[in-house]
Amino acid sequence: MVTTVDSPTVGGLAPALRRLYFVRFAFAVVWAVLVFLTTKSGLGAAGAVLVVVYPLFDVGAAIVDARSAKGAGSVTGLYVNMAISLLATIGIGVAAASGIPAVLRVWGAWAIVAGLVQLVVAVSRRKMGGQWPMILSGGISVLAGANFVISASAANPALSSVAGYAVLGGIFFLVSAIRLGRAAKGN
């Protein structure tokens, strides 16, 4: 998922973005483990709460990012991300009442749209450094989203692919955080 700014400056934003990316990594890993453990036999109440919490966390991360980026340029991409993730939160909450296939369809649509936004914004940040993982992540998000929509029609759809997707996204945040640290040391 995406948390980015349109036109950042390297100086003050990079350290805040780096911290946020580390938090995003940790959250994704813990969340994925919990989803994997709680949804093996179906969505259930815990699984429903978890699938709603993830996009809501994305909204919170975008808010933190916007506050960090104040004065560093336009935050239009963050506002777009907040709107998309808030709509996803509502959509996934409604879909959870219908089961895993409905959740996969909404999650897939969210991943496609958010991935496209992430691609656009990460490309605009590439001068800051550390954005290639975010560019790759955006592209993978689009492809994964299409896969979620398709897998919703499978015989036994499961959320394990969503958990794997979250871990992969978390790894991209980790790599980007590390690269941002290296880019700051090189300046």
Side-chain angles (χ1 to χ4, degrees):
M1 304 315 147
V2 66
T3 297
T4 52
V5 173
D6 285 347
S7 301
T9 58
V10 177
L13 181 57
L17 200 56
R18 186 170 189 251
R19 285 188 299 275
L20 179 61
Y21 285 178
F22 279 128
V23 170
R24 299 281 320 247
F25 164 72
F27 176 82
V29 170
V30 170
W31 181 88
V33 169
L34 291 173
V35 165
F36 186 75
L37 293 174
T38 61
T39 63
K40 284 184 180 182
S41 60
L43 189 57
V49 168
L50 285 168
V51 295
V52 170
V53 164
Y54 196 96
L56 196 56
F57 179 83
D58 196 58
V59 172
I63 291 168
V64 169
D65 196 342
R67 288 183 179 162
S68 299
K70 205 171 206 170
S74 173
V75 292
T76 303
L78 288 167
Y79 291 132
V80 169
N81 179 56
M82 286 179 216
I84 292 167
S85 294
L86 191 55
L87 288 172
T89 300
I90 295 165
I92 290 170
V94 170
S98 297
I100 290 176
V103 168
L104 285 171
R105 285 183 189 97
V106 176
W107 196 287
W110 176 42
I112 291 167
V113 174
L116 289 172
V117 172
Q118 183 175 8
L119 272 170
V120 169
V121 179
V123 166
S124 74
R125 280 185 164 173
R126 70 184 181 279
K127 289 181 183 176
M128 179 194 305
Q131 293 304 300
W132 285 108
M134 294 293 95
I135 292 169
L136 291 172
S137 176
I140 290 170
S141 186
V142 171
L143 296 174
N147 182 61
F148 297 146
V149 172
I150 292 166
S151 68
S153 299
N156 292 314
L159 293 175
S160 56
S161 60
V162 171
Y165 167 73
V167 170
L168 182 60
I171 290 169
F172 278 111
F173 278 115
L174 176 63
V175 171
S176 192
I178 292 167
R179 290 182 55 90
L180 278 170
R182 289 182 182 156
K185 289 178 185 173
N187 289 337

